[in-house]
Amino acid sequence: MLTVTAPAKVNLHLEVLGLRSDGFHELAMVMQSIDLADCLQFTNTADAQITLTCDDPSLSTGADNLVLKAAELLRARSGFGELGVSMHLEKRIPIGAGLAGGSSDGAAALVGLNALWGLGHTPAALESMAAELGSDMPFCVAGGTQLCFGRGELLEPVAPITEGLAVLLVKDPLVSVSTPWAYQRCKEISGTNYLQGEMAFEQRRQALREAPWLQPLRAGCPPPLRNDLQVVVAPETKAVQASIQLLQELPNALAVAMSGSGPSCFALFRDQDQCDQAAADLAPKLKTAGLSAWACSLRSDGVRIAS
Ligand code: C5P
């Protein structure tokens, strides 16, 4: 049996630049892996069947699950139609939260099955297959701290954020946000202000590459956090408004934002102790508001074979 951990991500920066000819949005992002992770287990089978079970009955384990899509793609590319596997997913990352949980599970399937089936694909080849399945998936294979451009699939590594920053994540367990809906609303609300053309896009990418908080010697310059989807999603999602308000009240929070297309939100702290203390202080208010919380550290890697 093989076990792979599949960490969640938060967006330290999500900037919508414009529209692409393929209908997707052109993005400039910084994504960061965190230590809230799912766990995917693999057992080889000799029956040419690819199956998935999950400890969370609310998650579809049908053909729409990215784990199965990834396994089918990898097997089709291998040319060995007789390959089989039985997979079990232990879900810890909330679903439909803007934390790339589904993408990370799919990335874990690519990395795990590449090893289990002995296919010998390079990390770059796995990232390229991941891009066929979802915009966030190449990041989940690579992980750590990365600039993500294009649809989100073009990665440029940045020096890991080593200051020991920690993240307090907050989410309403009853609310999820559809990513296509969030981008559609963004287009309706902000479409007329979108940048036009590759030159304008590249200027913004370069500005992000040169941002002071992304430079190797960045002591005392934490990420300011920006998410262009927050202004679109928050007005229509009470859970996001409540989360942001509670997190902004925390005295030691360096910055607060929504992650991805929401509804999860997070506050950044200088270290894990301050983050844990904030989680404890906020617990009664979170309970009253019906919000779940996780105090997380930052990770410098993506999906990894654990055993
Ligand atoms: O690539 P992924 O399947 O994660 O994207 C989900 C949906 O989010 C897309 O179908 C599209 O509607 C929207 N999206 C977008 N621009 C991006 C990424 C996603 O418009 N860069």
Side-chain angles (χ1 to χ4, degrees):
M1 197 169 82
L2 187 79
T3 302
V4 175
T5 48
K9 62 84 182 158
V10 290
N11 294 81
L12 301 178
H13 187 94
L14 192 166
E15 190 176 345
V16 176
L17 302 183
L19 259 189
R20 299 152 52 97
S21 52
D22 61 7
F24 279 72
H25 283 79
E26 185 71 26
L27 304 175
M29 303 190 285
V30 179
M31 303 228 256
Q32 173 66 55
S33 304
I34 59 174
D35 72 348
L36 172 65
D38 293 341
C39 179
L40 189 59
Q41 293 163 343
F42 306 78
T43 311
N44 241 328
T45 60
D47 58 1
Q49 299 292 312
I50 294 176
T51 58
L52 174 66
T53 55
C54 181
D55 64 348
D56 182 343
S58 72
L59 186 72
S60 161
T61 49
D64 57 328
N65 191 300
L66 279 169
V67 170
L68 290 179
K69 287 189 181 178
E72 296 287 358
L73 178 68
L74 205 58
R75 182 169 68 173
R77 294 287 158 84
S78 77
F80 301 116
E82 71 280 9
L83 292 172
V85 68
S86 139
M87 295 176 284
H88 180 70
L89 178 61
E90 282 175 17
K91 210 59 206 155
R92 299 289 171 268
I93 306 170
I95 299 162
L99 301 171
S103 296
S104 198
D105 298 341
L110 289 178
V111 170
L113 291 174
N114 186 45
L116 190 80
W117 289 340
L119 300 175
H121 292 295
T122 61
L126 292 177
E127 284 173 32
S128 156
M129 272 187 259
E132 294 180 42
L133 297 166
S135 305
D136 283 351
M137 269 184 65
F139 169 78
C140 295
V141 173
T145 313
Q146 307 263 350
L147 289 154
C148 307
F149 297 129
R151 290 187 288 126
E153 88 286 16
L154 301 175
L155 308 183
E156 292 181 19
V158 290
I161 292 188
T162 52
E163 292 100 335
L165 295 175
V167 158
L168 178 60
L169 259 186
V170 159
K171 180 183 179 285
D172 187 326
L174 303 176
V175 177
S176 63
V177 169
S178 148
T179 303
W181 170 83
Y183 280 106
Q184 179 62 30
R185 282 298 285 147
C186 186
K187 193 164 65 177
E188 287 161 13
I189 292 168
S190 314
T192 51
N193 298 325
Y194 282 176
L195 298 175
Q196 305 283 341
E198 176 53 26
M199 255 178 58
F201 295 164
E202 185 53 26
Q203 269 179 4
R204 291 304 310 153
R205 289 184 203 118
Q206 194 53 27
L208 185 57
R209 290 183 189 107
E210 291 171 4
W213 62 275
L214 282 173
Q215 304 317 305
L217 295 171
R218 60 168 83 86
C221 186
L225 301 184
R226 166 175 174 176
N227 184 343
D228 289 353
L229 293 178
Q230 188 177 326
V231 291
V232 173
V233 174
E236 306 194 31
T237 315
K238 284 212 169 64
V240 171
Q241 297 165 24
S243 302
I244 294 283
Q245 199 181 343
L246 283 180
L247 292 172
Q248 277 175 339
E249 286 171 13
L250 292 167
N252 290 325
L254 299 171
V256 169
M258 191 176 83
S259 182
S261 52
S264 61
C265 296
F266 65 102
L268 262 186
F269 290 89
R270 199 159 291 289
D271 58 44
Q272 194 69 47
D273 284 349
Q274 288 193 359
C275 184
D276 292 343
Q277 187 60 51
D281 293 347
L282 205 57
K285 284 186 180 171
L286 290 170
K287 197 171 175 208
T288 308
L291 297 170
S292 305
W294 299 262
C296 305
S297 57
L298 308 189
R299 276 177 70 126
S300 57
D301 58 3
V303 296
R304 282 296 170 271
I305 295 174
S307 60

